[in-house]
Amino acid sequence: MKKHTEIAVGIIRSQNCQIFITQRGEDSHLAGFWEFPGGKIENGETPYQTLLREIAEEVDIHIHQAQFLKVFKHSYEDRDITIHAYLVEEWDGVPFAKEGQPSRWVDQEDLNADEFPDANRPIIEMLKNLDKQI
């Protein structure tokens, strides 16, 4: 039976439509790819609680409000992933990668799905059309 992981991610978007992304560490699954900050949902946590905790731990910001976008599911050969995606546009602090991994701001329209794990491809597609939908 495959491992199943549920995660919550924050698409941290600035007022000028730039998205904050971080690079996966060398010791992680799919190392070297870029990702939206977030992490595994712990027992007893809601996806939103996980989002608040993980974003504070990883990028040192405190979310005021996040808009739930969608749940995405993806199967890799060795595991199944469920991603709860949130749009974060109001926060305190300045995002930075607290664990020392590379990080950067990217124009929303310039997000390149080839730089992300396959599970993130539909998120990037959605982001490229997001302002048309909202």
Side-chain angles (χ1 to χ4, degrees), residues 43-54:
N43 285 336
E45 274 186 330
T46 66
Y48 190 74
Q49 289 169 328
T50 299
L51 176 75
L52 297 177
R53 176 181 55 78
E54 286 284 347

Side-chain angles (χ1 to χ4, degrees), residues 1 32 38 44 54 67 78-79 88 94 107 120 128-129 132:
M1 186 166 151
E54 286 284 347
Q67 177 186 348
D78 63 336
R79 66 188 72 195
V88 178
V94 177
D107 288 337
N120 286 226
K128 291 195 177 212
N129 295 306
K132 298 171 191 164

